[in-house]
Amino acid sequence: MFSADGRHYAAVCANSAARTLFLVADGRRGAEYQGISDQLIQWTPDGGKLIYTAVAGGRNFLVVNEEPLPVTNLMGRAPVVLPETGGRYAFATFDGS
């Protein structure tokens, strides 16, 4: 997965011994998770933030620049919304109540 400007890349990799997945972004290895959704890996339009979803310990996370944000359920067809330019993002989540 390349950023829109082509300056950044990310790839999902596997640790088969631990049965986990991790992301390599611009040559840096990220944290290991039980699952990473390869359909929700996105760079913000300015290439400044890498956003993806992951599962660890039975919990869901939205990961932004390797900072895991706990989420219960992401909402909508496009759970993470990006503007046409810039580095902002938005997402909606609910706790089921």
Side-chain angles (χ1 to χ4, degrees):
M1 171 74 181
F2 287 92
S3 63
D5 62 9
R7 294 182 183 194
H8 305 281
Y9 71 92
V12 177
C13 301
N15 177 343
S16 57
R19 295 185 174 172
T20 57
L21 299 173
F22 59 93
L23 215 67
V24 173
D26 293 337
R28 291 185 307 267
R29 180 181 174 145
E32 293 189 17
Y33 295 97
Q34 293 168 325
I36 293 176
S37 174
D38 58 356
Q39 296 177 357
L40 291 175
I41 300 171
Q42 299 174 297
W43 290 96
T44 55
D46 66 359
K49 292 181 181 76
L50 176 62
I51 302 168
Y52 61 97
T53 57
V55 177
R59 295 180 64 198
N60 298 315
F61 296 91
L62 181 70
V63 183
V64 180
N65 282 352
E66 289 307 312
E67 179 182 344
L69 307 171
V71 295
T72 303
N73 294 302
L74 291 172
M75 296 172 53
R77 289 186 202 166
V80 178
V81 179
L82 302 174
E84 290 184 27
T85 61
R88 295 180 182 229
Y89 63 94
F91 67 94
T93 185
F94 69 97
D95 64 6
S97 56

